[in-house]
Amino acid sequence: MAQFPRAAALLFAVPLLVSCSGSHKQGDEGALHLTAHIEERLPFDETSFTQGLELGPDGTLYVGTGMEGASRIYRSTVDGRELASQDLAPEFFGEGITLIDDSLWQLTWQNNTAIKRDAETLEEISRATYEGEGWGLCARPDAGEVIFSDGTSELRRMDPDTLAERERFTVTLNGSPLSGLNELECVGEDIYANIFTSTDIVRIDATTGVVEAVIDASGVPNNATPDPNHVLNGIAHIEGDEFYITGKRWPDMYRVTFIPDSSHG
């Protein structure tokens, strides 16, 4: 998502992420409590206002950045060596990204425009339009769909080739809609979402929209320069239970695992 001034209203719109732990999928006792355990710290481009993070099948990292006049998409090695980069037109504010085979979609915030790119060169192939704001994006190839967030409690199911909208569904935590869904990562039957302005990540059942787990990432150091905009944002699945996470203008990226939170017995 974009800049902090729009966040104040969302802070009051997002319900408290409080639930009960358990050893099962979402049920009567609520969502699981997990925490982000740091396995490794890696260097990251501290100028990147990170809006989308994705790991390619060849192990390279894709980063989509925001801010009008400074948005771009780039591909790099995990240790930070840049391989390709493309700037967005100055009127665009870049948002979430996702890979689909040999192409990549990049959203824009309030321009109602998605840009399809070649995954290797990042050059533009085509464009698509959508209603409302664009925040996050992730692909579910086995389901033949892309999941799209717009900052509300609703997620959209989109056609992966055209980004035509198919339907919307509401994400709920303990029976209540959960707003502020931002950067997304699809993993199997689950969708991981950063909650805007917070240090929480939620794991959502991709079929029902029910939050299965709340992941507390507050223990991951935010070493960005002090600024209310420089929040946690960016999650990319590696394999198994491992993920990369980072934030807006963070100088670090972390390889983490999500483990049971011992403070919630």
Side-chain angles (χ1 to χ4, degrees):
M1 198 319 222
Q3 302 179 68
F4 190 77
R6 287 181 51 87
L10 276 173
L11 288 175
F12 295 100
V14 178
L16 293 176
L17 301 188
V18 176
S19 54
C20 300
S21 61
S23 59
H24 50 71
K25 290 255 186 184
Q26 173 78 23
D28 291 341
E29 293 114 40
L32 302 176
H33 280 283
L34 305 177
T35 188
H37 181 266
I38 298 172
E39 306 290 344
E40 182 181 13
R41 184 187 67 81
L42 295 155
F44 197 69
D45 177 14
E46 63 183 11
T47 70
S48 292
F49 196 81
T50 306
Q51 302 288 65
L53 191 70
E54 186 97 349
L55 190 66
D58 61 354
T60 58
L61 195 70
Y62 292 80
V63 183
T65 77
M67 304 300 272
E68 290 178 359
S71 294
R72 68 175 181 134
I73 176 80
Y74 66 90
R75 187 168 60 85
S76 72
T77 61
V78 168
D79 60 4
R81 182 170 58 87
E82 194 168 296
L83 303 172
S85 177
Q86 294 287 340
D87 293 336
L88 274 72
E91 67 270 21
F92 286 153
F93 193 120
E95 284 285 346
I97 62 174
T98 197
L99 280 169
I100 303 173
D101 297 325
D102 57 356
S103 63
L104 176 146
W105 281 109
Q106 181 178 23
L107 300 181
T108 59
W109 177 30
Q110 295 179 316
N111 305 98
N112 314 110
T113 301
I115 301 169
K116 192 173 191 178
R117 299 182 179 278
D118 180 276
E120 180 73 16
T121 65
L122 304 181
E123 293 180 357
E124 181 174 331
I125 299 171
S126 62
R127 294 188 181 186
T129 59
Y130 49 84
E131 292 183 358
E133 296 184 355
W135 285 38
L137 203 63
C138 68
R140 301 186 65 225
D142 291 343
E145 65 183 10
V146 166
I147 304 296
F148 174 110
S149 66
D150 59 11
T152 68
S153 60
E154 286 189 330
L155 294 177
R156 311 181 195 182
R157 301 188 194 277
M158 317 280 269
D159 183 280
D161 296 319
T162 65
L163 284 197
E165 184 176 332
R166 293 172 175 169
E167 67 172 0
R168 301 189 186 193
F169 62 101
T170 300
V171 173
T172 59
L173 173 63
N174 297 331
S176 298
L178 179 62
S179 298
L181 303 172
N182 196 9
E183 215 267 327
L184 304 178
E185 180 74 354
C186 293
V187 182
E189 298 302 312
D190 295 318
I191 303 164
Y192 290 80
N194 284 272
I195 303 301
F196 182 54
T197 76
S198 83
T199 54
D200 286 312
I201 299 166
V202 292
R203 189 183 78 210
I204 304 159
D205 184 296
T207 300
T208 66
V210 171
V211 172
E212 302 172 332
V214 176
I215 302 153
D216 178 6
S218 61
V220 176
N222 179 346
N223 295 317
T225 56
D227 187 311
N229 291 305
H230 295 171
V231 295
L232 177 75
N233 196 50
I235 177 170
H237 182 238
I238 304 171
E239 61 181 1
D241 295 326
E242 291 192 335
F243 293 80
Y244 290 126
I245 60 175
T246 188
K248 300 179 182 185
R249 298 198 178 114
W250 281 26
D252 312 299
M253 181 175 71
Y254 298 89
R255 180 170 59 88
V256 300
T257 51
F258 300 144
I259 63 174
D261 187 345
S262 60
S263 66
H264 291 269

